[in-house]
Amino acid sequence: MPRLTIGCHLSTTGGYAKMGETVTSIGATTFAFFTRNPRGGNAKALDLDDMAVLRTYMAEQGFGKLVAHAPYTMNLCSAKPDVVDFARRAMAGDLERMESLPGNYYNFHPGNHVKQGADKGIELICEALDEVIESGQATTVLLETMAGKGTEVGRSFEELERILEGCKKGDELGVCLDTCHVWDAGYDVREDLDGVLDEFDRVIGLGRLKALHLNDSKNPRGSHKDRHEKIGKGHLGMDAFAAVVTNPRICELPMILETPNELEGYAAEIAQLRALAGEEA
Ligand code: FE
Ligand code: FE
Ligand code: ZN
């Protein structure tokens, strides 16, 4: 079995090089970070030297691909044109910055259609992606599978597929599967992971699956709540994660923990998941 590419969400406060060191200190081999303030939207000035240090360090340490996360406030399918405009500019700016960390992933929540309906939402998302994504860019943009809270778009594999199909730049897009979100959306990743992957393959194609968010869920299947729980402590339970990290179809993908933890808790979850995958401590 190869080593898992696993990590967690990290704060950008100390800069890029610092995040690299933190990754090593918790036994991780990838990480996620917000490209800008997750609830506001401001981005820090680019520190190219700092990013260069991280690039070198990642290569030396053999990190897997990073999975950057767009801010939650970015809604490409809002009913308000100024919100859509901001979202497009934020994503374009993020992708430009990501060119300084080439070859990684940029994950985003497709959006909330508010009361416009999923069809309109999907249309607006496709329009935005076609405008923002540059052919040949060094970053693969990933749509995240959503829990279906409120008017979220991306609550089913079918909705994600319609975005991939409807977007001219669709070939440059991938999907990030969040275990809490798909469970809350109704997919039984606890009892039937392979059945869910078959379904993903049938509707979207497993070749599009590029990364995983590993989260347990505070709620029963189909609850559409989106409340993350620590690994093994929620409705999914530890056996479900043992199945994920040993499933040959997905065990080599970058896995990001977004569980309610501090660094120590993440380090413990990473060690536990590595043990479940059969890695030597
Ligand atoms: Fe997310
Ligand atoms: Fe997630
Ligand atoms: Zn979530």
Side-chain angles (χ1 to χ4, degrees), residues 72 109 144 146 178 180-181 215 226-228 258:
Y72 295 135
H109 296 181
E144 182 166 351
M146 301 310 295
D178 185 310
C180 166
H181 295 180
N215 303 302
D226 189 6
R227 301 275 317 279
H228 301 187
E258 301 173 309

Side-chain angles (χ1 to χ4, degrees), residues 35-37 41-45 94 97:
T35 48
R36 58 183 68 220
N37 181 326
N42 292 332
K44 280 195 227 167
D94 283 354
R97 294 142 57 84

